[in-house]
Amino acid sequence: MTFVVTDNCICCKYTDCVEVCPVDCFHAGPNFLVIDPEACIDCTLCEPACPAEAIYSEDDLPATFQHFVALNAELARLWPVLDAAIAPPADAADWNGVPNKLSYLKR
Ligand code: SF4
Ligand code: SF4
């Protein structure tokens, strides 16, 4: 099993999750973070830490977010590890809760 970052992280990228992860699972792109499924030890700490409620256990992932499993695995191979919190985008609060943001994902 792993944990999965989903749609509402896109354009929010608060990075609170990074601070709690004990094994540096998070990889950061321009406006989204993903979890490396090979590195995640299922500690559960990141899920409640995310202000955008964007992180799910793979076992609890809603059907509408199933495509994020492959997306996390793919982008974790491409993007560098982020192991310390950084400032969110200036307009992060405006994007929090906006549905279906995948078309805004920057690679
Ligand atoms: S805390 Fe949530 S919104 Fe922020 S980067 Fe992590 S997964 Fe994305
Ligand atoms: S469940 Fe734990 S190990 Fe996995 S990404 Fe979240 S904080 Fe990191």
Side-chain angles (χ1 to χ4, degrees):
M1 199 183 78
T2 182
F3 280 65
V4 181
V5 185
T6 64
D7 197 88
N8 203 33
C9 177
I10 298 170
C11 302
C12 285
K13 201 181 168 188
Y14 290 114
T15 70
D16 300 53
C17 52
V18 169
E19 287 287 301
V20 301
C21 182
V23 288
D24 296 345
C25 289
F26 286 90
H27 294 243
N31 65 352
F32 185 45
L33 262 68
V34 294
I35 291 170
D36 178 356
E38 303 289 327
C40 178
I41 59 170
D42 300 330
C43 76
T44 77
L45 292 174
C46 58
E47 184 177 354
C50 175
E53 299 182 355
I55 301 175
Y56 292 82
S57 158
E58 187 176 13
D59 287 350
D60 298 330
L61 195 61
T64 50
F65 291 154
Q66 285 298 324
H67 52 296
F68 280 91
V69 174
L71 188 63
N72 275 240
E74 176 197 350
L75 297 177
R77 289 192 292 271
L78 301 177
W79 289 345
V81 168
L82 182 69
D83 60 5
I86 57 174
D91 59 352
D94 296 337
W95 286 102
N96 192 356
V98 174
N100 303 321
K101 293 187 275 185
L102 202 51
S103 61
Y104 300 105
L105 175 67
K106 296 176 184 168
R107 288 171 176 258

